[in-house]
Amino acid sequence: NIILNPCVNIGDNIMKGQKLADLDIYEALPVFSSVSGIVTSIHENIITIENDMLDDNPVTADTAPPDTLTTRELLWLIREGGIRDTRTGAPLHILLSAQKVPDCVIVCCFDSDPYSSADQTAALGNSEKILKALNIVLRLLGTNKAFIAVEQGCANIYSDFKYNLRYNKNIFLQSLKACYPQSRSDILIKTVTGKNTDHINAVVLSSETLCMLSDVLTAGQPITDKLVTVSGDDILVPSVYNTPIGMPISALIANSGYNEPQVLIKNGVL
């Protein structure tokens, strides 16, 4: 783990999207404020902000069209956007700096876990955004072959991708039979390519990660929110929330309503 240095001081007025902490090395991933307000404390690796509930002046950066940027410039912008891969938790700019050229990229647009649906939510209505980001990923990795994996129950997502891929010859759309745990990387690679992971070098990314990439590169918005699914047998209203990073899990559970859950299972990158 890399410990970041604070970029703010106690008493500072903070805008949504303002950088809170960073370190002057490429491998580090900066953290941005998901709210506006005043910094009330800085203790070790925790920065506390009193939320003024205004979300004043979200910080955005002027970005040039991705096609005009070099590989180095793109990777630095991705780093500065604070994108963390939602599947592994690794900084995206590190994943896309791989020395070995992969055989293909696979975009997972579903969660085989019955209690999670963030990737379906991210993919719904965002096929064009995902494909633009995917083409940038292919350029950075130096490969030209990709697969879009959609579960059979997601007809709207499949039809949107099919329409937007009608003239494309290097990105292939696959409709997969729902099966747990099919979204796990090694199983997904085997299902999509027919090869085991020791016989093919494939990069697997989620639809949510690619949506984040598109927001950073086209809108100049750093990552301040994350899709979080709250579900389970004791949850009254299972929901997917676009959650400000740093929000307590207890607030999400309370908003969904619950009976008396005996166990809380936290999974994924928060």
Side-chain angles (χ1 to χ4, degrees):
N1 293 334
I2 299 176
I3 304 299
L4 304 179
N5 294 326
C7 301
V8 295
N9 298 303
I10 295 175
D12 285 354
N13 286 301
I14 301 298
M15 294 184 294
K16 181 178 179 180
Q18 183 172 334
K19 186 183 288 187
L20 296 178
D22 199 358
L23 197 62
D24 193 23
I25 59 172
Y26 180 71
E27 293 76 11
L29 191 70
V31 175
F32 300 87
S33 177
S34 59
V35 298
S36 61
I38 298 176
V39 178
T40 57
S41 70
I42 301 175
H43 179 67
E44 295 181 349
N45 60 340
I46 299 176
I47 298 175
T48 303
I49 299 172
E50 182 179 345
N51 189 355
D52 60 15
M53 303 297 177
L54 298 177
D55 288 343
D56 276 345
N57 302 318
V59 175
T60 59
D62 294 330
T63 57
D67 291 345
T68 66
L69 300 175
T70 65
T71 295
R72 186 170 183 173
E73 290 170 334
L74 281 171
L75 289 172
W76 185 256
L77 280 178
I78 294 170
R79 179 203 182 275
E80 288 295 290
I83 308 176
R84 189 180 295 276
D85 176 46
T86 61
R87 294 175 62 89
T88 65
L92 184 61
H93 67 284
I94 300 297
L95 289 179
L96 299 183
S97 302
Q99 297 296 318
K100 184 178 180 181
V101 176
D103 297 300
C104 64
V105 175
I106 300 174
V107 181
C108 185
C109 295
F110 64 92
D111 298 280
S112 57
D113 188 330
Y115 290 116
S116 180
S117 55
D119 281 336
Q120 291 100 313
T121 302
L124 189 61
N126 286 323
S127 60
E128 190 172 351
K129 176 190 284 190
I130 290 169
L131 290 173
K132 287 181 179 179
L134 177 56
N135 280 305
I136 294 171
V137 168
L138 294 176
R139 173 190 162 190
L140 291 173
L141 291 174
T143 188
N144 60 4
K145 186 175 184 180
F147 296 91
I148 306 288
V150 180
E151 269 192 339
Q152 288 180 353
C154 305
N156 290 340
I157 296 174
Y158 183 87
S159 61
D160 284 349
F161 276 113
K162 185 176 181 180
Y163 177 80
N164 285 307
L165 287 170
R166 63 194 184 279
Y167 302 123
N168 196 294
K169 296 182 179 180
N170 67 306
I171 301 176
F172 305 92
L173 179 62
Q174 289 198 10
S175 178
L176 307 181
K177 183 178 179 180
C179 176
Y180 178 82
Q182 190 162 236
S183 60
R184 200 177 76 188
S185 292
D186 57 338
I187 296 176
L188 183 62
I189 291 171
K190 173 68 174 178
T191 302
V192 170
T193 68
K195 298 179 181 180
N196 293 320
T197 53
D198 53 351
H199 292 110
I200 189 171
N201 180 19
V203 173
V204 181
L205 297 172
S206 71
S207 52
E208 184 182 0
T209 298
L210 290 181
C211 285
M212 290 179 179
L213 176 59
S214 178
D215 289 340
V216 167
L217 292 183
T218 61
Q221 299 174 345
I223 300 306
T224 60
D225 303 288
K226 168 118 179 49
L227 291 177
V228 178
T229 305
V230 178
S231 62
D233 296 337
D234 287 310
I235 297 297
L236 300 182
V237 185
S239 305
V240 179
Y241 296 100
N242 189 33
T243 308
I245 294 173
M247 174 175 282
I249 294 175
S250 58
L252 299 178
I253 296 176
N255 193 70
S256 290
Y258 58 92
N259 293 318
E260 294 184 2
Q262 301 299 311
V263 177
L264 173 64
I265 301 175
K266 185 180 75 172
N267 186 31
V269 182
L270 296 179

